[in-house]
Amino acid sequence: MRTVIVVGGSAAGLAAVQSLRREGYGERILVIGAEPHPPYDRPPLSKGFIANNLPFEHIRLGEQALLDELGAEWLVPARACELDLERRMLRLEADDRLRFDGLVVATGVSPLAFPGPSPHGVYTLRGLDDAEALRTALASAPRVAVIGTGVLGMEFAATARKIGLDVTVIGNAPHPLARQFPAAIGELLAARHREAGVILRLNAPVAGFEETSGHVSGVRLADGEVIPAELALVAIGSKPNVDWLRSSGLPIGDGILCDARCRAAPGVYAAGDVASWWHSGYGARLRIEHRMNATEQAGTAVKNLLGATEDFRPIPFMWSDQHDVKLQSYGVFPASGEMEIEGDMASGRFVALCHHQGRVVGALGWNAAKTLRQSRMRLAEAMEDIRLDEPTLTFA
Amino acid sequence: MRVIIEQAKCCGAGQCVLAAPDIFDQREDDGIVILLQENPSEESRADVLQAIKVCPALAIRLEG
């Protein structure tokens, strides 16, 4: 191969470049990145970057010297808008055409917007520019409303509360992280947020926004009640960035549909948030929007691009920091799974195991990172023996 | 060979401990990395390189 193109200049894209060099690929690498910034770490954006006013250098992935050493050409900011599989050609929005021998797609996801018009003061959070805008706007917004009770929404709520703002979280679900974990965990988390002074409005669908002179003044619930707020964050999920591939003939569903080796077509691989692949361990299709997966999946995808035949079968891992709680989890948490608590839930430190079909399939640590890691071994053993209830899973 | 960690960048994923348990450990509650051996023997090089590779925060470096 003379040219490998990596579309996406974030965590998975950078990991792909690093893996290419580690695996001994010495020819040309082109990276197409939509953002103008060098690669950076997204998880701190909803937490320390805002709460502690961190400088960009702190969240940067790799110093300039590391990037220079990798010897890739970074075309940023630039967007790919068309893929011609037959001619192995990529077209950019600027109308440049680039030929490749191998392609890694790591275009990530975009946040879902709230349906209907949004006044000024309504934000989503995905990139550095979003986080910087939010950081500035929070300085003049005493009341903050967060729509969505997933990981991002709850982390941002904790951050806004930490800097002393009045925060209300509004969501359809009965408890936070309802898609991720069993109710007992979500309820404990809700209690911790309330203790910290966050107001939670659960089971509360949002109808729209109230505005004054074009700026948001509140969030209107379906029952007509208005939650006053000068700033609202919409954190209701995201969608894979695949629209530019629709004419390419690549299999597209909830993400780019890859085989067990992260391959979407001959010479074309996907990694990170955008990749949906067949997890041969669980016997299910997975797409994971978590940081660790971006690094791991890019590594395997690149090895396979260079000729290996390795299935990608990680134990899913995620973490979330909210107030003084450090949550981490390994594995899967099927809706029908049963929880077993190791330790005392009230003590502020425990591990919760999820049992499914007679095996431990998921483990969650609540301020217990080290103990949790020790229970990881059991999950690898169980992987082969279980059937998931859902044939397709998204971890976000 | 000298291992350098940046605790301020560490996110507590514990991947380094899985890769090189003789070199790295984690604090119990938040999982932040603890360096057990700053100058490990040459035998550990492959494990340390694996830890560097899987660290999501790129918080580990190797000199020499």
Side-chain angles (χ1 to χ4, degrees):
Chain A
M1 284 194 291
R2 303 296 305 275
T3 302
V4 172
I5 296 185
V6 178
V7 189
S10 193
L14 175 61
V17 175
Q18 289 181 288
S19 301
L20 281 162
R21 293 305 188 214
R22 251 184 220 124
E23 298 296 324
Y25 173 78
E27 306 287 332
R28 189 177 188 214
I29 304 174
L30 270 172
V31 184
I32 317 294
E35 294 184 63
H37 319 289
Y40 60 89
D41 209 16
R42 292 185 200 279
L45 294 181
S46 53
K47 303 183 278 276
F49 183 77
I50 289 175
N52 306 328
N53 218 11
L54 293 179
F56 177 71
E57 282 310 307
H58 194 96
I59 63 165
R60 212 182 144 156
L61 283 175
E63 309 302 320
Q64 190 58 44
L66 173 98
L67 295 187
D68 292 345
E69 205 177 297
L70 291 170
E73 297 164 50
W74 292 75
L75 294 182
V76 295
R79 279 175 192 277
C81 64
E82 203 182 325
L83 169 64
D84 184 335
L85 280 178
E86 205 167 308
R87 292 157 65 200
R88 307 197 89 59
M89 196 88 90
L90 198 67
R91 189 163 68 82
L92 304 188
E93 269 179 4
D95 214 32
D96 300 310
R97 284 169 167 76
L98 304 169
R99 237 200 68 77
F100 62 83
D101 302 296
L103 183 69
V104 180
V105 182
T107 42
V109 296
S110 296
L112 292 172
F114 196 81
S118 290
H120 288 297
V122 176
Y123 293 84
T124 54
L125 174 52
R126 172 69 183 170
L128 177 67
D129 297 349
D130 301 327
E132 282 182 336
L134 272 165
R135 192 156 73 173
T136 305
L138 283 168
S140 53
R143 293 173 299 186
V144 173
V146 178
I147 303 174
T149 52
V151 174
L152 181 68
M154 298 316 293
E155 285 186 348
F156 182 78
T159 296
R161 187 66 200 128
K162 189 178 174 188
I163 57 178
L165 306 175
D166 287 343
V167 183
T168 305
V169 181
I170 309 159
N172 296 337
H175 53 81
L177 273 48
R179 284 181 53 201
Q180 288 81 10
F181 300 120
I185 301 299
E187 279 155 16
L188 194 63
L189 199 59
R192 185 65 198 88
H193 274 271
R194 288 196 181 103
E195 208 181 303
V198 175
I199 296 168
L200 298 182
R201 301 300 303 267
L202 304 168
N203 301 303
V206 169
F209 300 102
E210 295 287 311
E211 58 179 87
T212 307
S213 314
H215 194 97
V216 67
S217 60
V219 175
R220 196 173 62 256
L221 305 185
D223 64 6
E225 186 187 347
V226 173
I227 312 286
E230 291 78 29
L231 186 152
L233 180 78
V234 176
I236 54 175
S238 43
K239 56 175 194 301
N241 291 324
V242 292
D243 283 344
W244 66 284
L245 292 168
R246 293 207 185 272
S247 62
S248 69
L250 277 191
I252 304 293
D254 174 39
I256 300 168
L257 304 181
C258 303
D259 66 13
R261 297 171 184 169
C262 310
R263 193 184 81 146
V268 180
Y269 290 75
D273 296 2
V274 77
S276 166
W277 90 103
W278 182 256
H279 192 304
S280 59
Y282 289 119
R285 185 164 278 288
L286 261 62
R287 189 171 68 77
I288 302 184
E289 293 179 12
H290 285 296
R291 178 63 185 81
M292 192 62 224
N293 190 62
T295 302
E296 285 188 313
Q297 192 166 22
T300 304
V302 158
K303 272 195 208 166
N304 289 334
L305 170 66
L306 296 176
T309 53
E310 199 176 291
D311 283 8
F312 182 55
R313 8 185 320 141
I315 297 170
F317 171 76
M318 65 84 74
W319 80 85
S320 178
D321 303 339
Q322 301 173 32
H323 306 293
D324 56 354
V325 180
K326 283 206 164 245
L327 284 181
Q328 299 194 323
S329 83
Y330 285 108
V332 292
F333 295 80
S336 57
E338 280 178 32
M339 294 300 279
E340 174 204 354
I341 307 296
E342 288 191 334
D344 178 9
M345 264 183 118
S347 71
R349 174 173 306 171
F350 63 89
V351 168
L353 301 177
C354 180
H355 294 264
H356 176 70
Q357 295 169 359
R359 307 298 300 260
V360 175
V361 297
L364 173 141
W366 180 288
N367 291 334
K370 189 171 167 177
T371 311
L372 173 72
R373 182 170 42 73
Q374 289 153 0
S375 58
R376 183 181 181 276
M377 292 297 285
R378 303 166 69 172
L379 305 177
E381 293 162 15
M383 196 189 270
E384 302 279 355
D385 297 338
I386 58 157
R387 305 310 304 165
L388 295 177
D389 307 331
E390 305 280 336
T392 302
L393 278 178
T394 303
F395 291 84
Chain B
M1 114 175 130
R2 178 169 170 243
V3 180
I4 300 155
I5 56 168
E6 280 183 79
Q7 282 188 326
K9 281 199 159 186
C10 175
C11 59
Q15 301 298 311
C16 56
V17 193
L18 293 168
D22 297 337
I23 316 296
F24 304 100
D25 198 359
Q26 285 177 282
R27 299 202 296 236
E28 172 58 39
D29 52 347
D30 60 6
I32 298 298
V33 61
I34 300 168
L35 190 57
L36 298 177
Q37 293 190 54
E38 192 182 330
N39 301 102
S41 67
E42 202 52 39
E43 291 160 23
S44 306
R45 183 177 289 273
D47 290 347
V48 173
L49 289 174
Q50 176 64 16
I52 291 172
K53 181 173 152 186
V54 295
C55 173
L58 272 64
I60 310 169
R61 282 187 295 131
L62 187 61
E63 275 180 6

Short mmCIF file of all heavy atoms in Angstrom, two decimals, chain A residues 272-305:
data_model
loop_
_atom_site.label_atom_id
_atom_site.label_comp_id
_atom_site.label_asym_id
_atom_site.label_seq_id
_atom_site.Cartn_x
_atom_site.Cartn_y
_atom_site.Cartn_z
N GLY A 272 -14.03 3.45 16.24
CA GLY A 272 -14.53 4.49 17.13
C GLY A 272 -16.06 4.59 17.12
O GLY A 272 -16.75 3.64 16.73
N ASP A 273 -16.56 5.75 17.51
CA ASP A 273 -18.00 5.95 17.70
C ASP A 273 -18.84 5.60 16.47
O ASP A 273 -20.00 5.24 16.58
CB ASP A 273 -18.30 7.42 18.05
CG ASP A 273 -17.70 7.85 19.38
OD1 ASP A 273 -17.02 7.03 20.02
OD2 ASP A 273 -17.93 9.02 19.77
N VAL A 274 -18.26 5.76 15.28
CA VAL A 274 -19.03 5.60 14.04
C VAL A 274 -19.17 4.14 13.62
O VAL A 274 -20.01 3.81 12.80
CB VAL A 274 -18.37 6.43 12.91
CG1 VAL A 274 -17.13 5.73 12.35
CG2 VAL A 274 -19.37 6.72 11.79
N ALA A 275 -18.36 3.26 14.22
CA ALA A 275 -18.28 1.88 13.74
C ALA A 275 -19.24 0.96 14.47
O ALA A 275 -19.25 0.88 15.69
CB ALA A 275 -16.85 1.36 13.92
N SER A 276 -20.05 0.27 13.70
CA SER A 276 -20.90 -0.79 14.24
C SER A 276 -20.30 -2.09 13.72
O SER A 276 -20.11 -2.25 12.52
CB SER A 276 -22.33 -0.59 13.71
OG SER A 276 -23.09 -1.75 13.93
N TRP A 277 -19.97 -2.99 14.61
CA TRP A 277 -19.31 -4.20 14.13
C TRP A 277 -19.86 -5.43 14.84
O TRP A 277 -20.50 -5.33 15.89
CB TRP A 277 -17.80 -4.06 14.31
CG TRP A 277 -17.28 -4.54 15.64
CD1 TRP A 277 -16.64 -5.70 15.89
CD2 TRP A 277 -17.40 -3.86 16.90
NE1 TRP A 277 -16.35 -5.79 17.24
CE2 TRP A 277 -16.81 -4.68 17.87
CE3 TRP A 277 -17.98 -2.65 17.30
CZ2 TRP A 277 -16.75 -4.34 19.22
CZ3 TRP A 277 -17.94 -2.30 18.65
CH2 TRP A 277 -17.32 -3.14 19.59
N TRP A 278 -19.61 -6.58 14.22
CA TRP A 278 -20.09 -7.84 14.78
C TRP A 278 -19.10 -8.32 15.83
O TRP A 278 -17.96 -8.64 15.54
CB TRP A 278 -20.23 -8.88 13.66
CG TRP A 278 -20.76 -10.17 14.19
CD1 TRP A 278 -20.07 -11.32 14.42
CD2 TRP A 278 -22.11 -10.42 14.58
NE1 TRP A 278 -20.90 -12.28 14.94
CE2 TRP A 278 -22.16 -11.76 15.05
CE3 TRP A 278 -23.29 -9.67 14.60
CZ2 TRP A 278 -23.34 -12.34 15.52
CZ3 TRP A 278 -24.45 -10.25 15.07
CH2 TRP A 278 -24.47 -11.58 15.52
N HIS A 279 -19.55 -8.30 17.09
CA HIS A 279 -18.70 -8.73 18.19
C HIS A 279 -18.83 -10.24 18.30
O HIS A 279 -19.85 -10.75 18.76
CB HIS A 279 -19.16 -8.03 19.48
CG HIS A 279 -18.20 -8.17 20.63
ND1 HIS A 279 -17.78 -9.38 21.10
CD2 HIS A 279 -17.58 -7.23 21.40
CE1 HIS A 279 -16.95 -9.20 22.13
NE2 HIS A 279 -16.81 -7.89 22.31
N SER A 280 -17.81 -10.96 17.87
CA SER A 280 -17.95 -12.42 17.77
C SER A 280 -17.96 -13.07 19.14
O SER A 280 -18.39 -14.22 19.27
CB SER A 280 -16.83 -12.99 16.90
OG SER A 280 -15.56 -12.68 17.45
N GLY A 281 -17.52 -12.35 20.18
CA GLY A 281 -17.59 -12.91 21.53
C GLY A 281 -19.02 -12.93 22.04
O GLY A 281 -19.51 -13.95 22.53
N TYR A 282 -19.71 -11.82 21.90
CA TYR A 282 -21.09 -11.72 22.39
C TYR A 282 -22.10 -12.25 21.36
O TYR A 282 -23.26 -12.45 21.69
CB TYR A 282 -21.44 -10.27 22.71
CG TYR A 282 -20.76 -9.75 23.96
CD1 TYR A 282 -19.89 -8.66 23.89
CD2 TYR A 282 -21.00 -10.32 25.20
CE1 TYR A 282 -19.27 -8.17 25.02
CE2 TYR A 282 -20.37 -9.84 26.34
CZ TYR A 282 -19.51 -8.76 26.25
OH TYR A 282 -18.90 -8.29 27.36
N GLY A 283 -21.66 -12.41 20.13
CA GLY A 283 -22.61 -12.80 19.08
C GLY A 283 -23.66 -11.74 18.87
O GLY A 283 -24.85 -12.03 18.77
N ALA A 284 -23.24 -10.48 18.81
CA ALA A 284 -24.18 -9.37 18.63
C ALA A 284 -23.45 -8.22 17.93
O ALA A 284 -22.22 -8.17 17.92
CB ALA A 284 -24.72 -8.89 19.98
N ARG A 285 -24.24 -7.35 17.35
CA ARG A 285 -23.68 -6.16 16.71
C ARG A 285 -23.58 -5.05 17.74
O ARG A 285 -24.56 -4.77 18.45
CB ARG A 285 -24.59 -5.76 15.54
CG ARG A 285 -24.10 -4.64 14.70
CD ARG A 285 -24.83 -4.57 13.38
NE ARG A 285 -24.27 -5.51 12.41
CZ ARG A 285 -23.08 -5.34 11.83
NH1 ARG A 285 -22.34 -4.28 12.10
NH2 ARG A 285 -22.64 -6.21 10.97
N LEU A 286 -22.42 -4.43 17.86
CA LEU A 286 -22.20 -3.40 18.88
C LEU A 286 -21.73 -2.10 18.23
O LEU A 286 -21.04 -2.12 17.21
CB LEU A 286 -21.11 -3.84 19.86
CG LEU A 286 -21.53 -4.43 21.21
CD1 LEU A 286 -22.32 -5.70 21.02
CD2 LEU A 286 -20.29 -4.71 22.06
N ARG A 287 -22.09 -1.00 18.84
CA ARG A 287 -21.47 0.29 18.51
C ARG A 287 -21.22 0.97 19.85
O ARG A 287 -22.13 1.04 20.68
CB ARG A 287 -22.39 1.13 17.62
CG ARG A 287 -21.68 2.39 17.07
CD ARG A 287 -22.52 3.09 16.03
NE ARG A 287 -23.72 3.69 16.59
CZ ARG A 287 -23.74 4.83 17.29
NH1 ARG A 287 -22.62 5.49 17.52
NH2 ARG A 287 -24.87 5.30 17.76
N ILE A 288 -20.01 1.43 20.09
CA ILE A 288 -19.64 1.94 21.39
C ILE A 288 -19.16 3.38 21.29
O ILE A 288 -18.19 3.66 20.58
CB ILE A 288 -18.53 1.07 22.04
CG1 ILE A 288 -19.01 -0.38 22.16
CG2 ILE A 288 -18.14 1.63 23.40
CD1 ILE A 288 -18.03 -1.30 22.86
N GLU A 289 -19.85 4.28 21.98
CA GLU A 289 -19.44 5.69 21.99
C GLU A 289 -18.67 5.98 23.28
O GLU A 289 -19.11 6.80 24.08
CB GLU A 289 -20.67 6.60 21.90
CG GLU A 289 -21.42 6.53 20.58
CD GLU A 289 -22.63 7.44 20.57
OE1 GLU A 289 -22.79 8.30 21.45
OE2 GLU A 289 -23.46 7.28 19.66
N HIS A 290 -17.59 5.26 23.50
CA HIS A 290 -16.78 5.54 24.67
C HIS A 290 -15.31 5.61 24.28
O HIS A 290 -14.87 4.98 23.33
CB HIS A 290 -17.01 4.50 25.77
CG HIS A 290 -18.32 4.68 26.48
ND1 HIS A 290 -18.59 5.81 27.21
CD2 HIS A 290 -19.42 3.93 26.52
CE1 HIS A 290 -19.82 5.73 27.69
NE2 HIS A 290 -20.36 4.59 27.28
N ARG A 291 -14.59 6.36 25.06
CA ARG A 291 -13.24 6.76 24.73
C ARG A 291 -12.27 5.59 24.54
O ARG A 291 -11.48 5.57 23.62
CB ARG A 291 -12.74 7.72 25.84
CG ARG A 291 -11.35 8.20 25.70
CD ARG A 291 -11.18 9.03 24.44
NE ARG A 291 -9.79 9.38 24.28
CZ ARG A 291 -8.88 8.57 23.76
NH1 ARG A 291 -9.21 7.36 23.36
NH2 ARG A 291 -7.62 8.95 23.66
N MET A 292 -12.36 4.61 25.46
CA MET A 292 -11.41 3.50 25.40
C MET A 292 -11.55 2.73 24.09
O MET A 292 -10.58 2.27 23.50
CB MET A 292 -11.66 2.58 26.60
CG MET A 292 -10.59 1.54 26.83
SD MET A 292 -9.01 2.31 27.18
CE MET A 292 -7.98 1.30 26.15
N ASN A 293 -12.80 2.63 23.64
CA ASN A 293 -13.05 1.85 22.43
C ASN A 293 -12.40 2.48 21.19
O ASN A 293 -11.99 1.78 20.27
CB ASN A 293 -14.56 1.72 22.22
CG ASN A 293 -14.89 0.74 21.12
OD1 ASN A 293 -14.58 -0.44 21.22
ND2 ASN A 293 -15.48 1.23 20.05
N ALA A 294 -12.33 3.82 21.19
CA ALA A 294 -11.74 4.50 20.03
C ALA A 294 -10.30 4.04 19.83
O ALA A 294 -9.88 3.71 18.72
CB ALA A 294 -11.80 6.01 20.23
N THR A 295 -9.54 4.00 20.92
CA THR A 295 -8.14 3.58 20.86
C THR A 295 -8.01 2.11 20.48
O THR A 295 -7.26 1.74 19.59
CB THR A 295 -7.46 3.82 22.22
OG1 THR A 295 -7.58 5.20 22.56
CG2 THR A 295 -5.99 3.44 22.18
N GLU A 296 -8.77 1.28 21.18
CA GLU A 296 -8.65 -0.17 20.97
C GLU A 296 -9.09 -0.59 19.58
O GLU A 296 -8.45 -1.41 18.93
CB GLU A 296 -9.52 -0.92 21.99
CG GLU A 296 -8.95 -0.93 23.38
CD GLU A 296 -9.75 -1.85 24.30
OE1 GLU A 296 -11.00 -1.76 24.29
OE2 GLU A 296 -9.13 -2.63 25.01
N GLN A 297 -10.21 -0.03 19.15
CA GLN A 297 -10.75 -0.47 17.87
C GLN A 297 -9.88 -0.01 16.71
O GLN A 297 -9.69 -0.74 15.73
CB GLN A 297 -12.19 0.05 17.69
CG GLN A 297 -12.90 -0.62 16.53
CD GLN A 297 -14.39 -0.37 16.55
OE1 GLN A 297 -14.87 0.58 17.16
NE2 GLN A 297 -15.14 -1.23 15.87
N ALA A 298 -9.34 1.20 16.82
CA ALA A 298 -8.44 1.69 15.77
C ALA A 298 -7.24 0.76 15.63
O ALA A 298 -6.78 0.48 14.52
CB ALA A 298 -8.00 3.12 16.07
N GLY A 299 -6.74 0.28 16.77
CA GLY A 299 -5.59 -0.61 16.75
C GLY A 299 -5.88 -1.89 15.97
O GLY A 299 -5.10 -2.31 15.11
N THR A 300 -7.01 -2.51 16.26
CA THR A 300 -7.36 -3.77 15.59
C THR A 300 -7.70 -3.53 14.12
O THR A 300 -7.28 -4.30 13.24
CB THR A 300 -8.54 -4.45 16.30
OG1 THR A 300 -8.19 -4.64 17.68
CG2 THR A 300 -8.86 -5.79 15.67
N ALA A 301 -8.44 -2.46 13.84
CA ALA A 301 -8.81 -2.17 12.45
C ALA A 301 -7.57 -2.01 11.59
O ALA A 301 -7.49 -2.54 10.48
CB ALA A 301 -9.67 -0.90 12.40
N VAL A 302 -6.58 -1.30 12.11
CA VAL A 302 -5.36 -1.04 11.34
C VAL A 302 -4.56 -2.33 11.12
O VAL A 302 -4.07 -2.59 10.03
CB VAL A 302 -4.51 0.04 12.06
CG1 VAL A 302 -3.05 -0.05 11.63
CG2 VAL A 302 -5.08 1.41 11.76
N LYS A 303 -4.45 -3.15 12.17
CA LYS A 303 -3.75 -4.43 12.00
C LYS A 303 -4.39 -5.23 10.87
O LYS A 303 -3.69 -5.81 10.04
CB LYS A 303 -3.87 -5.25 13.29
CG LYS A 303 -2.78 -4.98 14.29
CD LYS A 303 -2.80 -6.11 15.31
CE LYS A 303 -2.29 -5.62 16.65
NZ LYS A 303 -2.59 -6.57 17.71
N ASN A 304 -5.72 -5.25 10.86
CA ASN A 304 -6.42 -6.03 9.84
C ASN A 304 -6.25 -5.41 8.45
O ASN A 304 -6.12 -6.12 7.46
CB ASN A 304 -7.89 -6.19 10.21
CG ASN A 304 -8.08 -7.13 11.40
OD1 ASN A 304 -7.22 -8.00 11.63
ND2 ASN A 304 -9.15 -6.95 12.14
N LEU A 305 -6.24 -4.09 8.41
CA LEU A 305 -5.99 -3.41 7.12
C LEU A 305 -4.63 -3.83 6.57
O LEU A 305 -4.46 -3.99 5.36
CB LEU A 305 -6.04 -1.88 7.33
CG LEU A 305 -5.57 -1.00 6.17
CD1 LEU A 305 -6.50 -1.15 4.96
CD2 LEU A 305 -5.49 0.46 6.59
#
